[in-house]
Structure formats: structure tokens, C-alpha cells
Amino acid sequence: MTETSSTAPGDPSTPLAVRLRGIGKRFPGVIANDDVNIDVRRGTIHAVVGENGAGKSTLMKILYGVQPPDSGTIEIGGSQVKLSSPADAIKAGVGMVFQHFMLADNLTVLENVVLGAEKQHGIGRKARAEVRRISDAYGLGVDPDALVEDLGVGARQRVEILKVLFRGARTIILDEPTAVLVPQEVDELFGNLRELKKEGLAVLFISHKLDEVLSVADEITVIRRGTTVRTVVPADVTSRQLAELMVGSELPSPGISEKATSTRVQLAVTGLTLHDAAGRALLDDVTFEIRRGEILGIAGVEGNGQAELVEAVMGMRPGATGSIVLTDQDLAPMSTLRRREAGIGYIPEDRHRHGLLLDSPLWENRVLGHQSRPPSASGRLIKRGAARADTQRIIDAYDVRTPGTDVPARALSGGNQQKLIVGREMSGDPILLIAAHPTRGVDVGAQAAIWNHIREARADGLSVLLISADLDELIGLSDRIEVVLRGRLVGEFDPSDVTPEQLGSAMTGAGSAA
Amino acid sequence: MTRVLRALLGLLAPLLALVAAFVITSLVLISAGDPVGEVWSEILQVPETRNVANIVNQACVLYLSGLAVAVAFRMNLFNIGVDGQYRIAAFVGAVVAGEAWLPGYLNTALAIVCAMAVGALWAGIAGVLRATRGVSEVISTIMLNFISTSVVAYLLREAAVREEGSNTIGTKEIPEGSRIGPIPLAAADSGPTAEIYGFVVLAVLAGVAYWFVMSRTRFGFDLRATGQSTTAAVASGINVRRMTIITMMLSGAVAGLVGLPILFGEAYSYGSTFQSGLGFAGIAIALLGRNNPVGIALAALLFAFLEEQSNPLQILVGVSPEIVAITQGVIVLTVVISYEVVRRFLTRREQSRVAKAERPADPAGPADPAPTQDQEARA
Ligand SMILES: Nc1ncnc2c1ncn2[C@@H]1O[C@H](COP(=O)(O)OP(=O)(O)OP(=O)(O)O)[C@@H](O)[C@H]1O
Ligand SMILES: [Mg+2]
């Protein structure tokens, strides 16, 4: 996977693609960026790492013209620019792929790419040819006529990259591009990025997965509490040293808690089946059990039924057949609310769509999903004081970086939003936690902390249905792993003797299941 | 400290809108060659006691209309049908009160309950269509307005009695014992005393109830959560379909109150001349008041003030009173803009404050609980 890059990254003679000097940005109660200095050279991949809330996304949004900086200068290709909108940034040759994809599902790839950039190459034959040309030149393998809704996550991401290239970007920003990908897709993405760099483009990307960063980046800039601490080359650091640079102190070593799996079955799913409107099976006779104090990991390439499984168990998918029993209670007739009251915690896959009220204060987000239970409610009334106090408890316990409980959820960085959701769903002593990518977007330190919280709760009898694209997380946390492929459970693995490679091939259906 | 300043700045936005409306209306007047100065001095003069009473009375009606719209707005539903809902509800209320099956105030209470129930059912049709068939409530409530007009006209002819010596028809008069007595308004300048609707008390209670339900109850939380994000609401266990229907019905129930101050305090029967168009004013008022119970009250008073003060314009300065409709429209448009301007100003101020303090720990968020921006997002 390692590859010696052709350009010498430290070589000062390589022309600069982007030069940021003294960038500062403040939000109410928060200094997001303060004296940030970064040089990105042409033909390099430049990674930006830092804790949750360090100011990485803010910095990238500034470079993409989404937000104006309060201070500092931006130079692109050697000349100073003022970016007051993404259109300015695109004109200057900077493009950005957000973590939340912005594609219209019911349009084709070509239509999506051309949308809003009709002036560049028209919308007809020329545009199609251009899409083909870019796709071939960088090995993106994108079919202009495919419908976006039929594409997997990795392919959608490549469409986003193509969109940016189509608009003539020479510097590409990717905010946590690998968070949603499984390892094979990550490798493909990195292959694409290396192609881009070979053509002299500059790539800026944010990631919390330090091993990935070390394998693909030419230079790594560490941001801590809004300031650039250091820029290093991968050869000079280990991932542990990187993490310590991010935090500014030594990392605590992860605690170990013993397993306490009992023989009592907490969740029994039998013959769960779900069809889509066209009659295609989304879930096909899914049967499994989770015992008290057990973590069952579900491995699979995104879009193979994980989301449907979770939503069926939560009661958000009408039409699912089969039985779901939670400690002797049949869940079938229960609403989502009743299921939550019965002791199910739910960390949704898409925190913006399903997990948060972005414009509501944090304490109201604490109430969400717990409207009917103490401490946030009593009877038909919401207890504001108690909800605020309990939000503060979560903020302290999960290290959510925020100026207070009254700021809107939107003002939190992605990772801190995630920490708040995890803290909320672990509240009220759930007996079953449905965790879809519980540490997506959180930094290494916070990831270890969340794992510890989950392990501690497991020792007290919590059962967990864990879905994750992060195989290390699956292997490290699960007591048992089931692989899901096209809506079916196709094999069971013991995490203590399975490698990510074995899991990976089972997920794509390449290997034979154990 | 900051809280006070924030509240003051909150008033700044509507004030800014007023100034803009003033300027634009003046420009219209000038370009039409009308006497700008006289128009304004007529409108802006201190109202006499009699006019104050009229303003309060009209505001009471507009307030209920604004509340009805706001209930739905809070859930991101656009109830354009308040107009039809209040007319059909007032009609039914008038019939029930006129029949006087129960004595005295029991009769009044029954009529109010019936009116609210009819309003709720009428709006509920749109709620059910939306929840089960995905029909936009905007479309269905507009349709229901038309139907309501015809239904009321038809039923009026069936149930009506002809008033003596006139050819307007109306429902039976409400017996004296079931009317809601007026509250005398003491005249400051020993002029003639005026009276305001006793129903004003009920309107205030409705406002308090609105505030309490929205911000203190689980139902209100569910409603606002659904308004912000249906997907998050579903994941949190809220039954969105049920909420849609209940919210529309609640909005309709409040709409059912709109005509009642007039019915019980002035007209005593529902006739073909019953005041119409109150539901549409409610939309503007809810927007201007930002769905806040106090804000809606201020907006209602402002609208009522402009309408009352413009009445004599035609006679005194020869300008059509419709000019205030322009003012009202401009206020609604500009207030949306000026809220945004003030919000940006606040953020900037906060930033420089943080810059001075130079330490990141201060529990001052940009969003106070009350104002939400959901309507613009929708509009
Ligand atoms: N629109 C906003 N309003 C107020 N504060 C904000 C806003 N956007 C970001 N912040 C604050 O700025 C800081 C930096 O946020 P940013 O999103 O840049 O972090 P990040 O490094 O990308 O973190 P993560 O790894 O969690 O994504 C955070 O403290 C966040 O709360
Ligand atoms: Mg971020």
C-alpha cells in the first residue's frame, strides 16, 4: 500500500497550490481558527488531522468560500484571492467534496455533474465526452448514464470528485472522505487520489483514521484547538505520535473490561424479511440472536441491508415480516416510541437526518427520543431544568466540546455532534443499543472513550447490535460478527481469529463463508 | 445583561421593518401625487378612546387568526384555510347559540366548543389528506376555503331568519343571557367611554395556552421537532402522521375561535355580512410575530391600528384607505429581511466580544429559544 511518491513533498521548489497565512475565524463562544498557516504543494496529497472541534472543517469551508475568514490571507496558485462564495473558489480552481453527498438520486451521473455547470461544456454530447475523459484520465470508472440511486457509496463519492474536476478544480478538498467507506473502497479512493496527484493536482483531505493518513499523505498538518501545530511528513511520525500531537499530551491507554455474556437471549430476530416497492428483497430471512451483555457486529458493504435491518428493529419500516423479540416482548405491534421505552437506544447512521434537530439547542436534542421518560419529561410536561442538567452530564462524560447547553446543535463540529448522540442514546440504561457507525467522524481519543463507555455498559448487561464500516471497530468491539450480503446473513466470524482481509472478502461475496 | 440587550435588539428587527414600510408607502403616495404628510399625520395621530376600543377589538380577532396559523407554522404546515375554517365555525357557533338549547353561559360554552370542533374537523380534512395521501395542505386548505364559502351560503339560506326591515339574512339572534358582556374602557380624557369585547380575555388565555403547550409540553416538543425534521422525529418515535392530523385540527380549533368575539360581542348572529378575510391577515400576522405569542399580539395590534387609523383617510384627505394594505404587505416582507440583518449583527457583535475575551468558554449561543426560521425555509 505504501508507495514512494514521485514529487519530493518537502521540496520547496514545488510550486504552491494553496498558501494560507494567519487564518482566524470565530463563532459565538468559540475560536474555531486562530493563526492557521498551511502550504499545500502541487502534486501532493496533504492531510489535515486534529481532534473533534479543532477547526478542520471550518478551515476547509473558508478555503472553499463557504465562510469568510475573520483574518488572514488566502493565496491560490501564487496570487492572493478573496473568496466570498463557493463560486469564487471554483473560479480560482478549488473544489470541495462534502461528507454529506449532494447528489440528486433520481438523476443520472451526467445530469448531476452538469447541473449548475452548464456553461462549462454544455449539457449534451460535449459534456458527456468530457465526463468520460475525466473518468478515464483519473481512473474513476464512472458511467455517465448510470442513475445515481443505483450507485454505492464509493461510486457516489467518485461522482462527487468528478463533479469537482468537471468544474476545473486543481485543488480538491475532501472532508472525511473515508468515514463512510469500507476498506476496499478506501483503497480505491486512495488509488484515485494518487492519480490526481500524478496529474499535478493538489488534494487536501481530513481524516480521523491516522493509519490511512500515514499511508496516503505526502504531508500532514496537525491542528489543535484552532491553530496549526506542526506539519510533518509521514516517514517521520507514527500514528501514536500524530495522535499525541493532536491532543497535546500523551494518549491514555484504552481500558479493558471483561466479557460478561450470559446465556439469556436479549434480542431474537427470526425470519425478518422486507421487500422494496419493486419486490426486490432488501432483507431476506434474517435470523440471529443477541445475548445479554453481547455485542453482535454486522459487517457488510454499505447498502446490503444494514440500514433496513436497523430500521426494521426500530419499527421505522412498515412492511417487514418475521418476528423480533426483545426479552420476551414481541416488538411487532410496538411503535418506535414504545420500542425506545422498552429499552432500545438508537445511534442512527445519518446523524443529521435521524439524530438531531440542528436548529434546536443541545438540551432539546437531549430530549429527542426521550420525550416520554425522565429526566427530560414527567407526564406530559418537558422538564427543561432537568434536561439541561442531564445534557451537561453528557457533555462532561463524553467530552462534547461546546460553549454550553443552549447552543444549537448545528454549531457543534461533526464529531462533537456524534458524541452528544452517543451520550444521549446511552442514557436511561438501555438494554439494547443499536449502534450504526457509533464512532463515525470522531477522533481517535473520543473513539476510545466511546468504546469504553460501550464496554462498560456491556459489562452491566447491555446488548449491542453494532453496524460499522470500520472493520477495526467491528473486530475490536464485537463478541461475534455476522456478514450481511444482499440482505442475507452469509456467514458468522469470531472476531478473535478473523482478519480484516477475510471479513472484507466475505463482505463482497468473494470468499466462502465459514 | 446580554439577555436584555438581546431582547432590545429583537425589537430592532420589526422596527427596521416599520421604517422600511414607512419609506416605501411614502414613495407610493408621492408617486401617486397624494399628500404624504397629511396621510401620515392622520394615521399616526393618537387614537381616541373610541378608536382604541376598535383597535383592541380588531386586534383580538386578528390575534386568534394569527395564533391559528402559527400553530400549523410551528410544524411546518401552512394552513391557508383559517379563513374557511373560521367562517364555517362561526356559522355553526351562531346556530347553536341561537337555538339556545342550554341556558345562559352554558349555551355560550356549548357554542364555543361546537365552533372549535367544527373548525378542527374542517381543518382535519386537510390534515388527513396530507397524512394519508400526501396531498399538500396548501392546496387542500385553499380548496376547502371555497367549499366552506358555498356550504355556509347554502346552509345560511336553510337556517336563516330574515331580519326585520332589511333584506340581509342571518341566523337566529343569540339570547341576551348568552352574550359575552363588554369590558368598559375608561376614557383618559373624560370623553365618551368605549367598550371592548369581553372575548379579549379568552384571546389572552388562548395566547397563554399556546405558549405553554408549545414550550412546556411534550406535545409541543413533538410538534416543533416534527416541524424541524420529519426524519429525526420519526427516529425519535414521534408518529408523524398522527401529529400532522392533530396539529391541523388544533390549528382549525383555534381558527374556530376567530369569528366568535364578533359573534358574541357585537353581531349576535351570523349573517351574510359577517366579516370575512380574517384568515389571510392571520398569515401575515403570524409571520410578523414570528410565531411568538407576544409577537403575534404586537403584530395584531399594529395591523388593527393601521386599519382603524386609515378609515377616515378617504373623507379627510381623499386617499383610499387601501394604502395601508401596501404598508402591511411591505412590513411582512421587510421583517423577514431585517430579522436576518439583526441576526448577523448579533453574531458579529458576539464574535468581537469573544475576540476581546479571547477564551473559548461562554454559554452564549446565537439562538434564543423563541424565534425559529422555519417559515422562510418553507417559503
Ligand atoms: N456555524 C457555527 N456556529 C458556531 N460555532 C461553530 C459553527 N461551525 C463550527 N463551529 C465551532 O467551531 C469549532 C470548530 O468546528 P469544526 O467543524 O471546524 O471542527 P472539526 O475540526 O471539523 O471537528 P470534527 O472532527 O468533529 O469534524 C467547533 O468548536 C464548533 O463548535
Ligand atoms: Mg469536521
Side-chain angles (χ1 to χ4, degrees):
Chain A
M1 195 133 129
T2 42
E3 179 193 81
T4 44
S5 80
S6 49
T7 36
D11 184 358
S13 66
T14 325
L16 285 184
V18 173
R19 180 181 148 100
L20 301 176
R21 280 294 170 273
I23 299 286
K25 177 78 189 175
R26 299 187 160 86
F27 291 110
V30 176
I31 300 173
N33 282 167
D34 182 22
D35 193 22
V36 170
N37 303 297
I38 295 187
D39 291 338
V40 183
R41 282 165 218 294
R42 287 203 192 133
T44 64
I45 299 176
H46 196 117
V48 177
V49 299
E51 281 187 294
N52 292 131
K56 307 176 295 292
S57 297
T58 304
L59 182 66
M60 295 306 137
K61 285 184 199 154
I62 288 173
L63 180 55
Y64 188 51
V66 178
Q67 288 165 341
D70 296 339
S71 57
T73 57
I74 303 171
E75 279 174 37
I76 296 174
S79 52
Q80 191 168 325
V81 290
K82 189 174 169 299
L83 307 171
S84 38
S85 72
D88 288 353
I90 290 167
K91 231 179 275 162
V94 176
M96 178 157 175
V97 176
F98 290 91
Q99 192 179 333
H100 287 258
F101 299 154
M102 304 192 181
L103 299 174
D105 267 0
N106 47 357
L107 298 185
T108 65
V109 168
L110 177 67
E111 287 163 340
N112 263 290
V113 168
V114 170
L115 203 70
E118 296 83 355
K119 290 214 190 81
Q120 241 109 359
H121 306 279
I123 56 168
R125 200 141 29 91
K126 229 177 104 207
R128 173 175 279 110
E130 178 65 8
V131 168
R132 280 250 160 71
R133 188 192 65 75
I134 296 173
S135 173
D136 294 344
Y138 303 106
L140 294 172
V142 169
D143 170 13
D145 297 312
L147 261 184
V148 165
E149 64 184 355
D150 297 333
L151 299 181
V153 192
R156 282 172 193 234
Q157 196 169 53
R158 289 195 292 277
V159 174
E160 288 277 15
I161 294 174
L162 201 150
K163 232 169 101 180
V164 165
L165 293 171
F166 186 84
R167 285 158 176 73
R170 302 290 296 163
T171 299
I172 298 182
I173 304 168
L174 301 141
D175 193 349
E176 299 189 34
T178 58
V180 291
L181 304 180
V182 294
Q184 280 92 336
E185 292 172 321
V186 171
D187 288 343
E188 284 173 27
L189 172 69
F190 287 173
N192 296 143
L193 296 189
R194 292 196 180 96
E195 290 293 327
L196 295 178
K197 132 180 155 177
K198 221 184 276 167
E199 301 295 322
L201 275 69
V203 176
L204 251 169
F205 89 104
I206 299 176
S207 177
H208 289 295
K209 298 180 183 166
L210 302 180
D211 293 330
E212 284 174 10
V213 167
L214 289 172
S215 79
V216 75
D218 298 305
E219 286 180 288
I220 305 165
T221 294
V222 181
I223 297 190
R224 188 198 309 154
R225 295 186 185 271
T227 329
T228 33
V229 194
R230 180 120 50 100
T231 297
V232 293
V233 280
D236 297 349
V237 285
T238 65
S239 63
R240 197 173 173 82
Q241 286 168 330
L242 254 190
E244 286 170 5
L245 268 180
M246 282 164 46
V247 184
S249 63
E250 277 187 29
L251 277 186
S253 39
I256 303 150
S257 75
E258 76 283 17
K259 292 190 187 183
T261 311
S262 80
T263 51
R264 224 177 102 202
V265 172
Q266 196 106 287
L267 178 76
V269 171
T270 320
L272 189 63
T273 303
L274 179 71
H275 295 277
D276 67 6
R280 218 165 25 130
L282 299 168
L283 291 174
D284 188 0
D285 194 19
V286 172
T287 300
F288 63 87
E289 284 180 349
I290 308 180
R291 281 167 295 168
R292 198 178 129 82
E294 185 184 38
I295 301 179
L296 173 66
I298 303 281
V301 177
E302 191 146 337
N304 274 279
Q306 297 96 319
E308 289 78 9
L309 172 61
V310 165
E311 291 179 6
V313 177
M314 284 309 295
M316 294 160 61
R317 277 274 176 169
T321 57
S323 94
I324 307 173
V325 178
L326 179 72
T327 52
D328 311 327
Q329 301 180 74
D330 181 11
L331 291 188
M334 288 189 179
S335 66
T336 303
L337 182 71
R338 292 281 311 288
R339 293 181 199 209
R340 279 178 165 278
E341 286 170 346
I344 305 185
Y346 171 38
I347 301 172
E349 167 179 351
D350 185 335
R351 57 181 167 249
H352 284 179
R353 270 171 63 77
H354 291 119
L356 293 170
L357 302 173
L358 285 171
D359 291 317
S360 288
L362 299 191
W363 71 264
E364 285 200 348
N365 277 285
R366 164 65 184 88
V367 178
L368 190 70
H370 297 249
Q371 297 98 309
S372 56
R373 279 174 283 167
S376 36
S378 82
R380 292 171 175 277
L381 300 185
I382 299 290
K383 298 181 71 179
R384 298 154 71 99
R388 281 204 174 88
D390 203 63
T391 310
Q392 190 59 48
R393 174 190 65 78
I394 294 174
I395 290 173
D396 296 337
Y398 286 82
D399 189 25
V400 180
R401 308 275 167 88
T402 166
T405 56
D406 281 352
V407 301
R410 190 184 292 286
L412 259 54
S413 80
N416 284 305
Q417 290 170 345
Q418 184 70 17
K419 290 191 250 175
L420 181 79
I421 293 176
V422 174
R424 174 182 74 198
E425 297 304 330
M426 296 284 280
S427 309
D429 295 321
I431 55 175
L432 172 69
L433 178 70
I434 299 182
H437 315 279
T439 60
R440 182 174 272 180
V442 308
D443 62 50
V444 276
Q447 183 178 48
I450 288 176
W451 287 351
N452 275 347
H453 279 288
I454 292 180
R455 287 199 184 104
E456 271 164 29
R458 172 181 65 172
D460 294 334
L462 175 75
S463 306
V464 182
L465 177 62
L466 173 70
I467 286 151
S468 184
D470 180 346
L471 297 189
D472 294 330
E473 177 167 80
L474 274 178
I475 293 172
L477 208 52
S478 306
D479 298 310
R480 205 150 52 82
I481 297 177
E482 293 268 11
V483 173
V484 67
L485 180 64
R486 279 178 232 113
R488 298 180 66 92
L489 295 185
V490 294
E492 186 180 324
F493 291 88
D494 179 352
S496 58
D497 61 28
V498 69
T499 61
E501 288 69 32
Q502 285 171 318
L503 265 189
S505 57
M507 280 157 55
T508 51
S512 57
Chain B
M1 170 77 183
T2 0
R3 215 162 246 277
V4 176
L5 195 74
R6 198 174 278 277
L8 282 179
L9 283 167
L11 285 180
L12 195 70
L15 219 65
L16 221 65
L18 285 186
V19 172
F22 182 80
V23 171
I24 293 178
T25 311
S26 301
L27 290 178
V28 172
L29 285 170
I30 291 171
S31 64
D34 285 328
V36 183
E38 285 168 48
V39 168
W40 285 122
S41 70
E42 199 55 49
I43 290 182
L44 294 180
Q45 64 175 274
V46 178
E48 284 169 25
T49 314
R50 181 177 48 86
N51 302 111
V52 170
N54 286 346
I55 291 170
V56 171
N57 286 344
Q58 183 67 6
C60 169
V61 173
L62 292 177
Y63 182 61
L64 290 168
S65 178
L67 275 189
V69 176
V71 168
F73 263 161
R74 273 293 174 99
M75 209 182 112
N76 232 350
L77 291 170
F78 205 162
N79 183 3
I80 299 188
V82 170
D83 213 65
Q85 289 146 23
Y86 94 79
R87 277 184 286 132
I88 198 164
F91 170 77
V92 171
V95 170
V96 171
E99 292 297 334
W101 290 306
L102 296 176
Y105 282 129
L106 281 179
N107 184 34
T108 317
L110 179 70
I112 293 178
V113 169
C114 287
M116 291 178 76
V118 167
L121 287 176
W122 201 249
I125 299 174
V128 170
L129 284 176
R130 160 94 189 218
T132 58
R133 290 270 162 265
V135 178
S136 161
E137 77 284 0
V138 176
I139 308 289
S140 58
T141 51
I142 291 177
M143 302 292 195
L144 283 167
N145 278 345
F146 287 116
I147 300 175
S148 165
T149 306
S150 319
V151 167
V152 170
Y154 172 75
L155 290 179
L156 191 57
R157 211 158 298 144
E158 295 289 300
V161 289
R162 187 169 296 276
E163 280 169 39
E164 283 167 52
S166 108
N167 51 9
T168 58
I169 53 168
T171 56
K172 271 189 218 163
E173 273 221 344
I174 302 174
E176 297 238 358
S178 300
R179 300 178 183 175
I180 297 182
I183 302 169
L185 196 64
D189 47 4
S190 76
T193 50
E195 295 170 337
I196 59 173
Y197 296 146
F199 214 95
V200 167
V201 176
L202 286 179
V204 171
L205 287 180
V208 173
Y210 170 88
W211 165 80
F212 183 79
V213 168
M214 286 300 167
S215 65
R216 291 294 188 274
T217 68
R218 187 182 140 198
F219 173 78
F221 181 89
D222 286 358
L223 191 153
R224 287 182 292 124
T226 314
Q228 248 194 64
S229 163
T230 339
T231 44
V234 168
S236 81
I238 296 171
N239 184 336
V240 171
R241 289 179 175 203
R242 219 181 107 228
M243 282 304 293
T244 305
I245 297 173
I246 294 181
T247 304
M248 276 313 276
M249 290 184 71
L250 191 64
S251 175
V254 180
L257 291 173
V258 170
L260 302 191
I262 304 172
L263 182 65
F264 285 103
E266 193 175 308
Y268 308 126
S269 75
Y270 188 100
S272 40
T273 54
F274 202 82
Q275 196 174 356
S276 62
L278 294 168
F280 300 113
I283 298 170
I285 286 164
L287 274 176
L288 183 58
R290 306 234 97 194
N291 300 335
N292 175 302
V294 177
I296 298 171
L298 295 176
L301 281 167
L302 175 69
F303 270 47
F305 173 84
L306 289 175
E307 276 166 28
E308 176 69 18
Q309 298 290 82
S310 65
N311 266 339
L313 282 183
Q314 188 74 62
I315 305 161
L316 295 180
V317 290
V319 174
S320 161
E322 310 297 288
I323 186 72
V324 299
I326 296 179
T327 316
Q328 291 174 342
V330 175
I331 291 174
V332 173
L333 284 181
T334 45
V335 81
V336 178
I337 301 167
S338 54
Y339 271 115
E340 178 64 17
V341 170
V342 169
R343 195 188 61 75
R344 289 205 186 152
F345 170 77
L346 272 180
T347 314
R348 189 138 343 122
R349 206 186 119 271
E350 191 81 32
Q351 281 168 9
S352 57
R353 204 171 60 78
V354 175
K356 257 178 247 149
E358 202 71 318
R359 47 177 287 270
D362 195 290
D368 259 359
T372 51
Q373 288 183 307
D374 41 4
Q375 295 78 242
E376 287 117 270
R378 192 184 168 74

